[in-house]
Amino acid sequence: MTQSDPPAPQAPSQQGAPQAPTPAAPQQPAAPQQPAAPQQPAAPQQPARPPAKRRSVGNVKAAASLLLKEARKILKKYESRIAPAPVAAIRGSMVELDRLRELRSWEPLEDECERLDELLHQHASFARKSPLRETVENIGIAVAVALALRSCLYEPFKIPSGSMMPTLRSGDHIFVNKFAYGIQIPFTTTVVGGFLGSPQRGDVIVFRYPVDESEDFIKRVMGLPGDTVRVEGNKVSVKRAGQAEFEELERTKLDEKCLDDAAVNVVPHCTLYSEHVDGRSYTVRYKSSSDPRTGQRRFGEWTVPEGHFLVMGDNRNESHDSLAWTKQVEAVAADGLLSVKDLRDLTPEKLFTLVRPDDTTAREDSTYDHIVYMADHASDAHGLQLEVWRDPVLGHEVILETLAQQPEAATRTTFAELLTGLLATDPRLGNPSNKPLAERLKTVGQGIGAVVYQRDEVAYTAVIHLPEARTVFELRCGVAVCHGLGDLVEQIGDVVERFDRDRSLDARQILEGERTVRYSQHWTSRGPSSDKFVQRSFQAPTLRAAPSLRVANARPEPGPA
């Protein structure tokens, strides 16, 4: 062994036991040192999720009821479209819901509601209502209920004026009972159930304004059908239907002051009274001044027609009520022009042209109005027409038969038979005082043969045959001139009598006789003088019908041909 050789490693040995030498293991090269990985921070600890918030007992009970109702409806209508297994699961859940409701186990009941809702969502979603549909249906139901309540039961109103002061002031809001006197069918003016009651004296009612049904008025009932109401300034008297004497309404003067619409300032020259009628008491007010700007006292008597009521406002001097609506004009001179306030031309064909005079004095007075209706053309109902065939080329009998076939459902007779029947039935011709007229018609009728007549909506048409004169007449007489067959026969007699007197007269001279024809805008009439008038009639207000307003029996002279 040289000195440079390393000594052989000695393995440890046990005492007394020789050890065999162990070969040395080859030395491995050292692995390169890896850098240390940076230390990751520890993840924060997540807090425990809180349990789901439970619904209130009321919400759980309501949800269970709705789900059970919906499930029963779906199974009843769509069970055949759902597989048997889901149907059985839905029915089992419904039974469990009923059991838990009886046990009042609210938390398990809530869990079972969620389970049933999930079953319906998975297997019957096609039969469930969408949120949009459910919302629309709920809104529709709410609107229908509101309309039904408004149309049949109660309707809100806002008082527009002070005509009912001091009971109701302008701007007050009220609810009107709409079934006190019957039930109104929605979207109509028909009222059924009149047995529920009818307006009584002293009732405050809401009704449609008779002159314009688009407006609603509120007044107090003072007169029933058949009553006569007399107003003398501050005094109101009622003559009840069937009685002979007027009964003055009892009233008591109050010490309170009249206030304006705002209930702030005192109204001068105004007195409050407590008025009593048929056991009802209410407060009315009168103004003692006759100044038109503060209201005027009213005087007169008004008879209430059947089916109508007379109403007045509690603010007696400043109320547009029945006392202003029931003015009547029996007759108006109509020679030249008509000047009736607010006249309406309601005839089928327009007979008038409206002209409003430009009068400064009229415009300065708010209580005065002035309109003029001028005649435009004649009315068929007031007309007379005559056509004459003298010894025609085709022959008078051919003309008669041709004209007789034109009217439909015409009556053919002789003048003698027609006159004989009227003398027995017509009270005017059969009256002994009219014997000269009857004798004259008999004499004239000796030359008249066949008569064919018919009446339509506006006029009589008569075909008259004069055999000896070889002449045929066709006379058209409006119903306002020939009110009946008696008038028609008299017109036929007049025409034939003038023709017999001078057969050279033309048709106009035969028809007009001795009268002079005026071609102007003046009003004339071939009928009696009573036909020349314009009538304007108003009635007390009614809950369902407006008063009539008409133009009657007026016609202008036609212009030259």
Side-chain angles (χ1 to χ4, degrees):
M1 169 181 291
T2 62
Q3 188 176 359
S4 58
D5 293 333
Q10 298 291 328
S13 59
Q14 292 182 356
Q15 185 177 0
Q19 296 291 332
T22 305
Q27 189 174 2
Q28 298 291 335
Q33 187 175 5
Q34 299 291 333
Q39 187 176 2
Q40 297 293 335
Q45 187 177 2
Q46 295 292 336
R49 179 176 296 179
K53 185 178 180 180
R54 292 290 181 177
R55 297 181 178 88
S56 65
V57 175
N59 289 340
V60 173
K61 293 169 65 176
S65 299
L66 291 175
L67 281 170
L68 284 172
K69 182 178 179 181
E70 184 181 13
R72 293 190 186 99
K73 185 176 180 180
I74 291 175
L75 291 180
K76 181 179 179 181
K77 193 172 183 180
Y78 301 104
E79 182 176 358
S80 61
R81 297 178 57 182
I82 306 174
V87 170
I90 293 173
R91 292 191 183 279
S93 181
M94 294 168 60
V95 173
E96 184 65 14
L97 279 180
D98 286 331
R99 187 183 71 82
L100 293 175
R101 282 201 307 179
E102 293 178 359
L103 295 177
R104 305 175 69 85
S105 300
W106 307 123
E107 291 187 5
L109 180 62
E110 183 179 358
D111 296 335
E112 191 62 34
C113 285
E114 293 181 358
R115 177 173 174 268
L116 178 57
D117 183 68
E118 184 64 24
L119 287 172
L120 294 176
H121 177 71
Q122 290 182 0
H123 305 287
S125 59
F126 64 90
R128 305 188 78 179
K129 296 179 181 178
S130 65
L132 177 60
R133 177 184 172 187
E134 190 169 358
T135 301
V136 171
E137 288 184 356
N138 291 337
I139 294 176
I141 293 173
V143 171
V145 171
L147 288 176
L149 291 175
R150 182 184 178 92
S151 299
C152 303
L153 300 179
Y154 295 96
E155 183 173 355
F157 281 92
K158 182 179 179 181
I159 305 302
S161 67
S163 64
M164 284 296 292
M165 291 177 64
T167 306
L168 296 170
R169 299 184 180 276
S170 177
D172 286 354
H173 292 268
I174 62 173
F175 275 94
V176 175
N177 181 354
K178 301 194 72 173
F179 60 89
Y181 310 130
I183 299 176
Q184 179 178 342
I185 299 176
F187 308 109
T188 68
T189 57
T190 303
V191 178
V192 297
F195 60 88
L196 295 176
S198 60
Q200 302 299 319
R201 297 180 190 89
D203 285 356
V204 177
I205 63 172
V206 174
F207 55 92
R208 292 182 178 87
Y209 181 34
V211 179
D212 184 0
E213 292 193 359
S214 64
E215 299 183 33
D216 293 312
F217 271 36
I218 180 169
K219 304 292 178 186
R220 189 180 299 277
V221 176
M222 300 301 296
L224 301 181
D227 290 352
T228 300
V229 179
R230 175 188 294 168
V231 178
E232 299 173 301
N234 297 357
K235 183 172 67 174
V236 178
S237 304
V238 178
K239 182 171 69 174
R240 302 171 187 267
Q243 295 186 1
E245 300 295 333
F246 281 92
E247 173 188 348
E248 183 180 349
L249 299 187
E250 180 184 355
R251 60 178 185 164
T252 305
K253 185 177 180 180
L254 302 178
D255 296 331
E256 303 174 18
K257 300 294 184 180
C258 297
L259 302 179
D260 58 7
D261 290 344
V264 175
N265 300 319
V266 176
V267 178
H269 308 292
C270 180
T271 307
L272 296 179
Y273 294 90
S274 178
E275 196 170 75
H276 313 281
V277 57
D278 292 352
R280 301 169 183 260
S281 298
Y282 47 88
T283 303
V284 299
R285 76 178 196 176
Y286 287 93
K287 291 187 176 180
S288 57
S289 174
S290 60
D291 186 347
R293 294 172 297 180
T294 59
Q296 297 181 350
R297 297 187 180 186
R298 295 185 281 187
F299 297 85
E301 291 185 6
W302 291 264
T303 299
V304 185
E306 196 65 31
H308 295 74
F309 302 90
L310 186 142
V311 296
M312 298 174 63
D314 290 347
N315 191 2
R316 293 291 167 81
N317 302 112
E318 295 181 347
S319 175
H320 186 54
D321 49 32
S322 292
L323 307 192
W325 304 331
T326 54
K327 295 179 180 178
Q328 288 190 357
V329 179
E330 300 262 340
V332 177
D335 189 12
L337 55 85
L338 304 177
S339 58
V340 181
K341 181 180 178 181
D342 289 339
L343 182 65
R344 299 289 187 268
D345 184 2
L346 301 183
T347 53
E349 49 181 315
K350 298 303 179 183
L351 304 180
F352 311 99
T353 298
L354 170 63
V355 178
R356 187 175 291 277
D358 188 12
D359 189 350
T360 56
T361 59
R363 289 201 308 268
E364 291 174 357
D365 185 0
S366 61
T367 64
Y368 177 76
D369 194 9
H370 182 204
I371 61 174
V372 176
Y373 280 86
M374 300 298 295
D376 284 341
H377 54 85
S379 167
D380 290 340
H382 293 80
L384 279 172
Q385 300 177 19
L386 179 65
E387 297 181 60
V388 184
W389 285 265
R390 295 179 177 87
D391 196 8
V393 176
L394 297 177
H396 55 93
E397 294 181 352
V398 175
I399 298 297
L400 170 65
E401 297 301 328
T402 302
L403 296 176
Q405 294 176 5
Q406 293 179 1
E408 298 179 359
T411 301
R412 182 163 185 161
T413 181
T414 63
F415 185 82
E417 293 176 352
L418 182 59
L419 179 60
T420 301
L422 289 174
L423 291 176
T425 58
D426 189 283
R428 187 172 65 90
L429 292 178
N431 193 327
S433 61
N434 287 332
K435 187 176 180 180
L437 173 61
E439 294 297 330
R440 182 173 65 86
L441 291 177
K442 289 181 180 179
T443 303
V444 173
Q446 293 177 0
I448 303 176
V451 175
V452 182
Y453 67 90
Q454 181 200 26
R455 181 180 184 231
D456 55 25
E457 295 181 357
V458 296
Y460 281 95
T461 302
V463 179
I464 305 104
H465 184 210
L466 306 180
E468 295 181 1
R470 303 175 62 83
T471 302
V472 177
F473 291 153
E474 185 177 47
L475 174 67
R476 184 172 175 82
C477 182
V479 293
V481 179
C482 294
H483 301 282
L485 281 177
D487 294 330
L488 178 63
V489 168
E490 186 175 355
Q491 289 288 345
I492 294 174
D494 291 342
V495 167
V496 174
E497 185 177 26
R498 297 189 196 106
F499 176 74
D500 288 340
R501 190 181 305 131
D502 186 355
R503 296 186 179 183
S504 64
L505 298 177
D506 61 23
R508 186 182 66 176
Q509 293 171 327
I510 295 174
L511 189 62
E512 292 292 339
E514 302 297 331
R515 287 179 291 181
T516 303
V517 180
R518 289 188 302 164
Y519 296 101
S520 68
Q521 291 182 339
H522 290 75
W523 286 71
T524 61
S525 174
R526 295 187 180 92
S529 59
S530 60
D531 286 346
K532 295 187 294 184
F533 70 92
V534 174
Q535 177 172 313
R536 176 188 184 217
S537 62
F538 287 92
Q539 297 176 349
T542 178
L543 293 179
R544 295 182 295 274
S548 61
L549 184 62
R550 62 190 179 89
V551 178
N553 296 339
R555 70 173 294 277
E557 181 66 26

